[in-house]
Amino acid sequence: MERTQKTCTAKDAKLSDLLLAPETVAAKVAHHVAECDSCSRELEELRATMGLLDHWEAPEPSPYFLTRLNARLDEERRAAPAGWLERLRARLAYGPPLHARPLAATALTVVLLLGGGTYLGITNWEQPAAPPQTAVVHDLQVLDNNDQLLDQLETISSDNSDGTVN
């Protein structure tokens, strides 16, 4: 009888329960493990591992371990405080994740505003260029702005061809 990998994967989570507390596992899981070669092999490997861990003894710590640890902690307490960048990095890396959330929200807001502003063209603070003007229009505007030149042109135009002034 061939089993699919998906069925065995669903049963793998129950293997530790079958090893540690077999009475709490459903009969369907126990029946599957009895029929499936890979699941039964894995259960036997787990039993062998647990057997080895039962006989393992943790090594005794050095008698001076606590003394050295306390000395290092005292050195760290007496050390000069790190710079603001080091403190910020340590706070973000080792501090509670609640401190990073406002910073992340602020950074995301700034990125969105800059991106939206760029998209909308708000970052272009220069005035739009004036449409190009023809030479005649430009000359007339200069004449309107220069009263002295306008007065001189009026006197020239008011002269008759015979040289008399009106």
Side-chain angles (χ1 to χ4, degrees):
M1 182 184 282
E2 191 172 317
R3 300 278 182 208
T4 63
Q5 186 65 26
K6 185 175 182 181
T7 305
C8 290
T9 304
K11 306 293 185 207
D12 282 345
K14 300 292 183 179
L15 285 178
S16 61
D17 292 338
L18 188 61
L19 179 66
L20 298 174
E23 63 277 352
T24 62
V25 177
K28 183 170 74 172
V29 175
H31 180 69
H32 171 78
V33 171
E35 286 184 359
C36 182
D37 292 334
S38 65
C39 288
S40 62
R41 189 176 332 112
E42 188 169 343
L43 182 63
E44 288 305 316
E45 289 174 0
L46 280 174
R47 281 189 181 133
T49 303
M50 293 300 287
L52 287 174
L53 287 175
D54 286 341
H55 297 295
W56 180 73
E57 292 183 20
E60 288 292 323
S62 169
Y64 300 108
F65 174 75
L66 288 178
T67 306
R68 288 193 311 251
L69 178 66
N70 286 331
R72 287 286 309 261
L73 289 174
D74 288 341
E75 285 177 19
E76 288 297 322
R77 284 187 200 117
R78 281 186 251 125
W84 68 272
L85 186 60
E86 292 294 325
R87 287 192 312 259
L88 179 65
R89 186 180 319 149
R91 186 174 205 167
L92 290 176
Y94 304 115
L98 295 177
H99 292 169
R101 286 182 184 162
L103 291 175
T106 303
L108 182 62
T109 302
V110 167
V111 166
L112 287 174
L113 287 175
L114 288 176
T118 302
Y119 178 73
L120 295 175
I122 293 175
T123 57
N124 185 8
W125 293 104
E126 297 176 12
Q127 295 294 326
Q133 297 177 349
T134 60
V136 174
V137 172
H138 178 56
D139 290 343
L140 289 174
Q141 287 177 347
V142 169
L143 288 176
D144 285 340
N145 292 336
N146 195 344
D147 293 334
Q148 181 183 6
L149 181 61
L150 190 58
D151 289 340
Q152 288 175 357
L153 287 177
E154 284 180 9
T155 57
I156 292 173
S157 66
S158 67
D159 286 346
N160 291 336
S161 58
D162 58 356
T164 61
V165 179
N166 287 343

